[in-house]
Amino acid sequence: MNSLKLAGIAVRNLLRNSRRTLITVLVSSAGFAALAIVAGYMDFTFFGLQEMTICRGFTSSGGTGHIQIFRKEALQKEEHYPLEYGIADSEKLQQAVKLNKSVIATMPRIEFNGLISNGEKSISFLGTGVDPKKETELIHYWNALEKLSSRKLMDDSVYKKLETTSSNGVLLGEGMAKAMNAHVGSSLMLMGTTVDGAVNAVDVTVAGVVRSSMKSIDRYYLVTSLETAQSLMQTGKVSKIVVVLDKTSNTDIVRPLVFAKINASGNNPEFSVIAWDQLAEYYHSIRDAYRIIFSFIGIIVVVIVFLSTTNTMLMATMERVREIGTMKAIGISNLWISFLFLYEGFFIGLMSICGGMALKIIFSSIINNSGFKMPPPPGMSSSYLLKIFFAADFLPWISLLILFSTTCSGLLTLFKIRKLSIVNSLTHV
Amino acid sequence: MNDRVIAKLVDVSKYYGSGEGRVTALSSINLTLLRGDCVVLVGLSGSGKSTLLHLLGCIDKQDEGQIIIDGIDTSLKSLEQLAFLRLEKIGFVFQSFNLIPVLTAYENIELPLLFKGYKKNSIKERVDDVLEEFGLHERKHHYPRQMSGGQQQRVAIARALVTQPSLILADEPTANLDSQTGAGILDLLIDLNMKKNITIVLSSHDSVVLDKIKTVVHIRDGRIVHTNISTC
């Protein structure tokens, strides 16, 4: 049997009751569009979260950058004293890393903690020592992200203030500033442990009050210059080097090259080179949650599409009982007749994909131009503009899902067709 | 088995329903049809004519007895095998024509050939020949709704004939036609029987049919009450 011929008959059968076919296609198209829009929103969210993780981060350590370099032991062993496994000659390492063309910045950082006091009250802090000039590269990277046109641009002036504050400037989280009753220009004292285990203190001046990406860390958030942190800890080491690339998609290509560059050949590499996604627990937990939500929506939509198409198919079967009986009588097997219905389901699926794509583009465009602001996600401090991405990676899968669902609905007719008695079908009115 | 025998029914019975409501549609039917026979089944409504045609056409199964079509015992065959047997050896003509409405005359006729696995060129040749033979060439691209009853029945006969079956079964083929058109259709079937030596079995109430076809099987209450074997 010529399959094209059978396909042609299927199309004519669909056109025979065009209104019913149209309604079925509209339901399936709406299903496709719903899934594609959710996928577009997910894609936007994942991309936004990814770049937020890289540029701002969701911990007190700030943005992860694309790659981070640690001494190998820092990830494997517990330190007996601060920065026991810190990087001693960070400049040399940075020079080596910068040789890669995709690297646009390298930023040494120190992670430290201790107490901050205003003379009357002391609270604990989680601090990061940074090179203010280099940190602005991450802000410039964020501000240059074209794909995330709806993002709030970051201001690098706080780092400039940190740089220009003459005596040991610090940036405090809003929560911490409030708790310490501090404002720009206030004098405070940082207390911490040196690398020798002694207690040390330095006087600092508040250079700025910032809002971190997570409300929960705002009360402990403190950023100071590398020099201040090193002077508190009495060391020249840094905890890690953060590497910023020209684009996130280059991470997997550059990471092994950087690893090879900074580690002498042999079985015992000195440094570990970690990609941003291995450091981003929050990103992964959000992504997993979205995937579960998407799967549920997907199942519901597919069931609706399946039921709608099945209804159409069964109605078509009932309407064409006499025809089916005739075909069976002249010797056409149940299998071929079922194929006819499978084709009809398949074509409904194809039409639904086209219709769904059109609906998706129309609604995405309306949403993207509406300026609709989403409330801050749980635990985060700022709202954001809703955008629906094209979601090219998801669309083939959604198409397959819809096609599978509509085609499978034709399968139910197979049982119906098999059960139909030829004699009764021929006299069916 | 005699090569001339195209269909043989041995003690065939068919019942509908079960228990006390069981109705006997056919009871112990014995009938042998030879190649080239042209037979009309006559009887009142509900006498069992259509049931006998359905059993001969392998679209229904007997409850008792044996039906042999062209040497093949149908009781031993699966549904798919019976479908293949119908495609190969049996053509059907129905009272209400039963053409597929979304297909043109040409496509309705080619339908069984497509499922028999014929090549495209061979199909075209055969269908064109049949269309020509039945005077339907002008109507080949017409859909059933665009044709008269007589034309539709000619297309239905062409569809039954195009696979070159050994047996054509026609269930009251003239019942939905006016007398003149009906007579034309009947002549066409008789002509096919004579020229192509195809066995034709039809059921009818029509007196014109009885005038033209002399081999008659009278059925009453599911039993053959009278037959006369002769050539039509």
Side-chain angles (χ1 to χ4, degrees):
Chain A
M1 172 65 187
N2 187 340
S3 292
L4 278 177
K5 201 87 191 175
L6 205 62
I9 298 173
V11 170
R12 286 191 220 176
N13 278 328
L14 287 176
L15 295 177
R16 188 199 294 200
N17 201 329
S18 51
R19 194 187 305 167
R20 190 175 58 210
T21 303
L22 182 70
I23 290 169
T24 311
V25 168
L26 275 178
V27 171
S28 308
S29 298
F32 179 96
L35 283 179
I37 287 171
V38 171
Y41 172 66
M42 261 172 59
D43 206 12
F44 161 72
T45 308
F46 291 170
F47 184 77
L49 263 176
Q50 165 191 301
E51 298 303 330
M52 275 283 279
T53 305
I54 289 165
C55 297
R56 295 188 69 181
F58 295 101
T59 66
S60 60
S61 311
T64 60
H66 293 100
I67 290 169
Q68 292 193 358
I69 301 168
F70 299 88
R71 281 272 302 282
K72 193 179 77 179
E73 295 87 347
L75 301 175
Q76 293 173 339
K77 300 176 185 172
E78 275 299 320
E79 290 181 325
H80 295 106
Y81 53 85
L83 287 178
E84 180 184 1
Y85 303 119
I87 300 168
D89 195 355
S90 71
E91 267 310 313
K92 192 177 159 194
L93 209 58
Q94 288 179 69
Q95 292 305 323
V97 173
K98 274 184 178 170
L99 291 175
N100 189 300
K101 281 181 184 171
S102 291
V103 174
I104 57 174
T106 55
M107 306 177 304
R109 280 188 194 163
I110 293 178
E111 285 172 8
F112 66 110
N113 55 60
L115 293 173
I116 184 166
S117 172
N118 59 7
E120 293 170 351
K121 181 180 175 186
S122 301
I123 59 171
S124 59
F125 68 84
L126 296 167
T128 309
V130 301
D131 180 335
K133 201 177 259 177
K134 289 184 174 177
E135 286 292 325
T136 56
E137 290 293 340
L138 211 45
I139 292 176
H140 297 157
Y141 169 83
W142 170 266
N143 289 346
L145 281 172
E146 282 176 14
K147 201 176 169 188
L148 220 56
S149 56
S150 60
R151 74 202 174 283
K152 199 173 173 181
L153 293 180
M154 283 197 229
D155 180 12
D156 62 357
S157 61
V158 284
Y159 284 117
K160 282 185 181 141
K161 280 181 197 162
L162 192 62
E163 209 180 339
T164 52
T165 301
S166 54
S167 52
N168 296 337
V170 288
L171 302 174
L172 301 183
E174 274 181 352
M176 178 181 276
K178 196 174 171 188
M180 298 304 294
N181 196 22
H183 43 83
V184 175
S186 298
S187 293
L188 301 168
M189 187 169 67
L190 297 186
M191 289 174 282
T193 316
T194 68
V195 292
D196 301 322
V199 176
N200 192 17
V202 290
D203 290 323
V204 293
T205 306
V206 178
V209 175
V210 293
R211 184 188 278 184
S212 70
S213 52
M214 302 283 279
K215 274 182 189 166
S216 55
I217 58 170
D218 239 23
R219 197 181 148 82
Y220 309 100
Y221 188 72
L222 182 146
V223 177
T224 186
S225 68
L226 211 55
E227 292 76 25
T228 306
Q230 285 175 331
S231 115
L232 179 69
M233 299 177 80
Q234 298 284 295
T235 182
K237 289 181 179 177
V238 297
S239 307
K240 61 189 176 187
I241 292 168
V242 175
V243 181
V244 184
L245 305 179
D246 50 357
K247 51 186 175 185
T248 307
S249 55
N250 279 340
T251 306
D252 289 340
I253 302 163
V254 175
R255 196 190 67 83
L257 297 176
V258 168
F259 181 86
K261 187 79 188 169
I262 61 176
N263 286 303
S265 57
N267 292 332
N268 197 14
E270 189 183 352
F271 299 103
S272 292
V273 180
I274 311 292
W276 70 270
D277 60 335
Q278 287 174 271
L279 302 158
E281 277 179 33
Y282 185 74
Y283 169 81
H284 287 294
S285 57
I286 293 277
R287 211 165 90 143
D288 290 346
Y290 269 76
R291 280 192 171 157
I292 291 169
I293 293 167
F294 184 74
S295 303
F296 274 116
I297 294 173
I299 290 168
I300 292 166
V301 168
V302 165
V303 168
I304 291 170
V305 168
F306 177 78
L307 291 178
S308 161
T309 321
T310 301
N311 180 48
T312 303
M313 289 297 175
L314 288 177
M315 281 171 76
T317 313
M318 292 315 293
E319 268 175 15
R320 281 152 44 194
V321 165
R322 187 187 279 228
E323 267 174 66
I324 293 167
T326 305
M327 289 168 92
K328 286 170 92 163
I330 63 176
I332 299 170
S333 69
N334 288 330
L335 192 69
W336 280 116
I337 299 170
S338 302
F339 265 125
L340 190 64
F341 284 89
L342 285 182
Y343 264 122
E344 287 178 29
F346 178 77
F347 286 124
I348 286 178
L350 279 188
M351 288 189 272
S352 304
I353 290 168
C354 297
M357 269 308 292
L359 286 179
K360 194 257 174 187
I361 291 167
I362 291 166
F363 281 106
S364 296
S365 165
I366 292 170
I367 293 168
N368 289 344
N369 293 304
S370 66
F372 185 78
K373 266 196 164 180
M374 293 291 281
M380 290 176 72
S381 50
S382 51
S383 58
Y384 59 96
L385 268 179
L386 175 62
K387 289 279 168 192
I388 306 296
F389 277 6
F390 189 68
D393 290 350
F394 290 92
L395 293 180
W397 296 106
I398 295 171
S399 303
L400 276 179
L401 210 59
I402 295 291
L403 212 53
F404 179 75
S405 157
T406 57
T407 309
C408 276
S409 66
L411 274 180
L412 279 186
T413 60
L414 195 133
F415 302 109
K416 185 88 190 160
I417 288 164
R418 202 169 175 81
K419 271 171 63 182
L420 274 179
S421 142
I422 302 176
V423 172
N424 292 338
S425 312
L426 291 172
T427 52
H428 185 87
V429 182
Chain B
M1 189 173 165
N2 190 338
D3 273 356
R4 287 193 63 217
V5 175
I6 186 69
K8 190 175 169 82
L9 284 79
V10 183
D11 281 332
V12 170
S13 297
K14 174 74 184 172
Y15 309 105
Y16 291 116
S18 58
E20 285 184 10
R22 191 169 90 159
V23 176
T24 304
L26 288 176
S27 179
S28 299
I29 299 286
N30 288 289
L31 186 69
T32 302
L33 298 168
L34 303 179
R35 285 182 204 281
D37 273 353
C38 185
V39 179
V40 59
L41 307 177
V42 293
L44 297 172
S45 278
S47 58
K49 304 186 297 291
S50 294
T51 304
L52 183 54
L53 273 182
H54 295 155
L55 294 180
L56 270 171
C58 306
I59 57 176
D60 204 356
K61 282 219 160 190
Q62 72 274 24
D63 293 310
E64 288 166 13
Q66 193 183 26
I67 299 174
I68 296 163
I69 304 291
D70 212 2
I72 298 165
D73 187 347
T74 60
S75 55
L76 305 173
K77 299 293 174 187
S78 67
L79 286 176
E80 294 302 309
Q81 287 170 324
L82 287 177
F84 186 71
L85 180 76
R86 290 194 296 272
L87 192 61
E88 286 288 315
K89 298 188 183 295
I90 304 169
F92 283 93
V93 179
F94 304 98
Q95 182 180 333
S96 338
F97 328 129
N98 290 24
L99 298 177
I100 309 295
V102 294
L103 302 181
T104 61
Y106 181 96
E107 289 165 334
N108 264 291
I109 297 169
E110 77 167 345
L111 194 63
L113 294 180
L114 291 171
F115 291 95
K116 274 188 92 172
Y118 279 72
K119 293 258 164 58
K120 199 177 171 182
N121 287 343
S122 169
I123 290 175
K124 190 176 179 326
E125 202 176 311
R126 274 192 184 221
V127 177
D128 279 337
D129 283 351
V130 175
L131 281 166
E132 197 67 55
E133 188 180 345
F134 284 38
L136 288 165
H137 215 270
E138 298 295 310
R139 299 277 171 183
K140 67 190 281 190
H141 297 306
H142 285 63
Y143 288 94
R145 64 176 181 278
Q146 297 168 320
M147 291 187 281
S148 67
Q151 286 165 338
Q152 287 188 54
Q153 194 61 300
R154 289 167 95 86
V155 173
I157 296 170
R159 180 179 65 186
L161 181 73
V162 76
T163 55
Q164 297 175 335
S166 319
L167 178 64
I168 288 183
L169 304 171
D171 193 3
E172 309 212 21
T174 58
N176 278 4
L177 301 171
D178 61 75
S179 56
Q180 198 181 341
T181 313
I185 291 295
L186 197 58
D187 289 340
L188 189 67
L189 286 170
I190 293 169
D191 198 41
L192 284 176
N193 168 251
M194 293 178 76
K195 286 185 182 164
K196 297 186 190 282
N197 201 34
I198 297 172
T199 308
I200 291 178
V201 181
L202 53 93
S203 66
S204 185
H205 292 109
D206 195 341
S207 56
V208 180
V209 177
L210 297 176
D211 289 342
K212 292 194 175 183
I213 299 174
K214 301 300 175 199
T215 308
V216 180
V217 176
H218 283 271
I219 301 177
R220 190 188 299 152
D221 298 333
R223 291 176 184 275
I224 295 174
V225 290
H226 172 74
T227 60
N228 62 325
I229 304 298
S230 68
T231 330
C232 50

